[in-house]
Amino acid sequence: MRSGVRCMAAVSSMECVKGVKGVILDMCGVLYDSGEGGGIPIQGSIEAVKRLMDSGLILRFCTNETQNTREKFVQKLRRMGFDISVSDVFSPAPALMRILRERGLQPHLLVHDDLIPEFDGIEMNSPNCVVIGDAADRFSYENLNEAFRVLIGLKKPILFSLGQGRYYKETDGLKLDVGVFMKALEYACDVQAEVVGKPSPEFFQSVLRDMNLQPHEVVMVGDDLVNDVGGAQRCGIKGVQVRTGKYRPSDEDHPSVKADAYVDDLAAAVDAILTQKH
Amino acid sequence: MRSGVRCMAAVSSMECVKGVKGVILDMCGVLYDSGEGGGIPIQGSIEAVKRLMDSGLILRFCTNETQNTREKFVQKLRRMGFDISVSDVFSPAPALMRILRERGLQPHLLVHDDLIPEFDGIEMNSPNCVVIGDAADRFSYENLNEAFRVLIGLKKPILFSLGQGRYYKETDGLKLDVGVFMKALEYACDVQAEVVGKPSPEFFQSVLRDMNLQPHEVVMVGDDLVNDVGGAQRCGIKGVQVRTGKYRPSDEDHPSVKADAYVDDLAAAVDAILTQKH
């Protein structure tokens, strides 16, 4: 199937996944919907993950979740019934920790309290960069001013943003995501943030290295057209969008990003991937 | 003096103000520095305003202040010793009220508590636009989410921003200004805000109409290179920057805005204007 052609019948038009050796799955909106008590599995997704694991394909998970450490996040998924290991999950905070260490940077953190343990062991006494994640209620005027003052006081301001999402849905309504506050601080200090996590190419490439596969051998399945599908495609990975989670019908007419295929849900995506494999 | 040529000796190089019939003064950073107890007059500025008033030139004041009603703001200036009338002061909130009435719009307000009386008499039961001002501590995550949900729920989201400043200085440090939260909501909803106040051309034109003068007959004196000087120049008004308030030496090498002249302070600007008048 050619990129840009809308796929009406999921399985038959998933030729784009023919011969893939590996699959990357987004998590929220693909495996589960977030909600009270942590979240609810999307119908058929627990079984679909199990079938992928049993198929011999190389499987990794890729999330922009930054309200929890990766360990706590995986525990939550396991409680829902997903048989997932921490080492198979890629999230922004551990990726950022590698960058901070490589570049010898000390962060000022504006992140969710529950994410802070990810930064254990890094020096923070003389911050020379600012890190923002999905801090939710911690995005107060006071905390934003504090992060701004650190940034504007640096000779060369460095701002890291863990993702660049606009908003997400919780049971009590839509919530502003980290990208909104990234844009705020970018404007305040006239800097451009370095995004860690999807859709950053470095983030997808680190997953590919771990899979030991070439981009064309891999398909990404996600509900976020820009960050999952578009991000993967920019690295040469196939991008399939599921019609669950934050999917909206208008995504299929997006001006700049076209998925290689659209499917109803993860179960349908796995049906197609396994059919094309045989 | 040609635009773009730095003016080292204030009075002698102020030929740009030759023959002007009217003067528009920015307030904070030109008349006074904000600080504890409301602010402190900048040396020589009370006398300079008095000399302008006595000169026969037409004088108006133009501020992006939105933490107070115009009435309360003028009272503060009068307590400092400035002999100013409310009717000579142009601020964003009254300008916005005219726009809301003309277009039959009902606002959802995210503004400072002390600004709310400016909106007396306007219907707000079924908001069909969002208005943000310098809300300071009211820029909480909760209030930003609320404004965002109103905007994203509108068929055609309309966002008004009372100014577009990045930050300002208070006695306890730098504070994020309304423009930062404008950029945040613009990104969240993929809209472009309508800026009311400086540097909006409509705002300067409303001052010109009130003065009954042509743009080339007027000079604007301000400390903000982009919003005062650049905004005025885009309307054909001469723009002079004072080296007080938020002025920084790097302003004189700005890549896109060049003042018609730079002077040390308001007293020096008035010296030059009155010298060129005779």
Side-chain angles (χ1 to χ4, degrees):
Chain A
M1 178 193 165
R2 282 209 200 114
S3 171
V5 179
R6 180 170 166 180
C7 154
M8 297 304 289
V11 177
S12 62
S13 58
M14 284 277 288
E15 280 173 35
C16 65
V17 299
K18 197 164 188 173
V20 296
K21 295 178 179 167
V23 178
I24 306 174
L25 297 184
D26 174 38
M27 303 179 82
C28 182
V30 176
L31 304 189
Y32 71 100
D33 280 321
S34 63
E36 278 171 38
I40 302 153
I42 291 171
Q43 208 180 356
S45 62
I46 294 175
E47 179 67 18
V49 168
K50 199 173 176 310
R51 285 159 63 210
L52 272 182
M53 282 179 168
D54 293 343
S55 72
L57 291 169
I58 298 171
L59 179 62
R60 295 291 184 273
F61 301 88
C62 204
T63 177
N64 270 5
E65 165 71 33
T66 61
Q67 282 206 1
N68 256 309
T69 60
R70 185 168 54 156
E71 281 69 19
K72 294 256 178 192
F73 179 61
V74 171
Q75 280 171 26
K76 184 176 87 172
L77 272 286
R78 293 182 67 89
R79 277 197 302 273
M80 282 184 221
F82 293 97
D83 184 20
I84 291 175
S85 308
V86 170
S87 59
D88 292 337
V89 175
F90 287 75
S91 66
L96 175 65
M97 272 294 269
R98 281 192 297 274
I99 295 171
L100 296 175
R101 290 212 158 102
E102 277 165 23
R103 291 163 57 178
L105 291 170
Q106 295 192 26
H108 170 90
L109 300 178
L110 177 45
V111 300
H112 199 282
D113 283 344
D114 294 339
L115 190 73
I116 292 178
E118 292 275 23
F119 298 91
D120 277 354
I122 197 111
E123 191 67 54
M124 300 195 207
N125 289 329
S126 306
N128 49 15
C129 67
V130 166
V131 173
I132 59 170
D134 174 15
D137 290 330
R138 292 199 70 227
F139 280 129
S140 64
Y141 186 60
E142 191 183 345
N143 287 343
L144 285 166
N145 272 327
E146 198 186 344
F148 159 67
R149 287 175 197 158
V150 171
L151 262 186
I152 200 85
L154 297 174
K155 198 168 176 184
K156 189 185 175 310
I158 300 174
L159 172 62
F160 290 103
S161 185
L162 302 177
Q164 60 177 28
R166 293 168 192 258
Y167 56 89
Y168 52 86
K169 197 174 177 176
E170 289 204 337
T171 41
D172 58 340
L174 297 177
K175 299 277 177 85
L176 292 169
D177 199 359
V178 62
V180 170
F181 299 94
M182 173 189 87
K183 288 290 172 186
L185 290 175
E186 282 186 341
Y187 179 70
C189 302
D190 201 13
V191 293
Q192 185 157 18
E194 300 181 35
V195 177
V196 179
K198 297 177 286 187
S200 149
E202 292 79 10
F203 193 62
F204 283 104
Q205 281 150 6
S206 70
V207 185
L208 287 177
R209 273 196 304 275
D210 190 64
M211 300 172 93
N212 201 23
L213 291 176
Q214 296 300 309
H216 69 272
E217 297 173 319
V218 176
V219 60
M220 166 88 207
V221 181
D223 66 328
D224 185 320
L225 186 69
V226 172
N227 292 300
D228 294 330
V229 172
Q233 287 176 334
R234 277 218 308 276
C235 295
I237 299 169
K238 303 280 194 316
V240 171
Q241 189 179 19
V242 285
R243 296 192 185 101
T244 54
K246 67 169 67 170
Y247 163 87
R248 292 186 304 180
S250 61
D251 288 346
E252 300 190 31
D253 301 308
H254 193 276
S256 57
V257 183
K258 295 282 171 194
D260 291 281
Y262 301 88
V263 292
D264 283 344
D265 54 22
L266 179 62
V270 172
D271 282 346
I273 290 166
L274 298 184
T275 303
Q276 293 290 342
K277 181 172 176 267
H278 299 301
Chain B
M1 180 194 165
R2 282 209 199 111
S3 171
V5 179
R6 180 170 166 183
C7 152
M8 298 302 290
V11 176
S12 62
S13 57
M14 285 277 288
E15 280 173 35
C16 65
V17 298
K18 199 166 184 170
V20 296
K21 294 178 180 167
V23 179
I24 306 173
L25 297 184
D26 173 37
M27 303 181 84
C28 183
V30 175
L31 303 189
Y32 70 100
D33 280 321
S34 62
E36 279 170 37
I40 303 154
I42 290 170
Q43 208 180 357
S45 62
I46 294 175
E47 179 66 20
V49 169
K50 198 173 178 313
R51 285 158 64 208
L52 272 181
M53 283 179 166
D54 293 343
S55 72
L57 292 168
I58 298 171
L59 180 61
R60 295 292 183 273
F61 301 89
C62 204
T63 177
N64 269 5
E65 166 70 34
T66 61
Q67 283 206 0
N68 255 308
T69 61
R70 187 168 54 155
E71 282 68 20
K72 293 256 179 193
F73 180 62
V74 170
Q75 278 171 25
K76 184 176 87 171
L77 272 286
R78 293 181 69 88
R79 278 197 300 275
M80 282 186 224
F82 292 97
D83 184 19
I84 291 174
S85 307
V86 170
S87 61
D88 292 338
V89 174
F90 287 74
S91 66
L96 175 65
M97 272 294 271
R98 281 192 297 276
I99 295 172
L100 295 176
R101 289 211 159 101
E102 277 167 23
R103 290 162 59 178
L105 292 170
Q106 296 192 26
H108 170 90
L109 300 178
L110 177 46
V111 299
H112 199 282
D113 283 343
D114 293 339
L115 190 72
I116 291 177
E118 291 275 23
F119 298 91
D120 277 355
I122 197 111
E123 192 68 54
M124 300 195 209
N125 290 330
S126 305
N128 49 14
C129 67
V130 167
V131 173
I132 59 170
D134 174 15
D137 290 331
R138 292 200 71 227
F139 280 130
S140 63
Y141 185 61
E142 192 184 344
N143 288 343
L144 284 166
N145 272 327
E146 198 186 343
F148 159 67
R149 287 175 198 159
V150 171
L151 262 185
I152 201 85
L154 296 174
K155 198 166 177 186
K156 189 184 174 311
I158 301 174
L159 173 63
F160 291 104
S161 185
L162 302 177
Q164 60 176 28
R166 292 168 192 257
Y167 57 88
Y168 52 86
K169 196 175 178 176
E170 290 205 335
T171 42
D172 58 340
L174 297 177
K175 299 278 178 82
L176 292 169
D177 199 359
V178 63
V180 170
F181 299 94
M182 173 189 89
K183 289 288 172 187
L185 290 175
E186 282 186 341
Y187 179 70
C189 302
D190 202 13
V191 294
Q192 186 157 17
E194 300 182 37
V195 177
V196 179
K198 298 176 287 186
S200 149
E202 292 79 10
F203 192 63
F204 283 104
Q205 280 150 8
S206 70
V207 185
L208 286 176
R209 274 196 303 276
D210 189 66
M211 299 171 93
N212 202 21
L213 291 176
Q214 296 299 310
H216 68 274
E217 297 173 318
V218 176
V219 60
M220 165 88 208
V221 181
D223 66 327
D224 186 319
L225 186 70
V226 171
N227 292 299
D228 295 329
V229 172
Q233 287 176 335
R234 278 216 308 273
C235 294
I237 299 169
K238 301 280 192 318
V240 171
Q241 189 180 17
V242 287
R243 297 194 185 99
T244 55
K246 68 168 66 171
Y247 164 86
R248 292 185 306 177
S250 61
D251 288 345
E252 300 190 32
D253 300 309
H254 193 277
S256 57
V257 183
K258 296 283 170 192
D260 291 282
Y262 301 89
V263 292
D264 282 344
D265 54 22
L266 179 61
V270 171
D271 281 346
I273 291 167
L274 298 184
T275 303
Q276 293 290 343
K277 182 172 175 267
H278 299 301

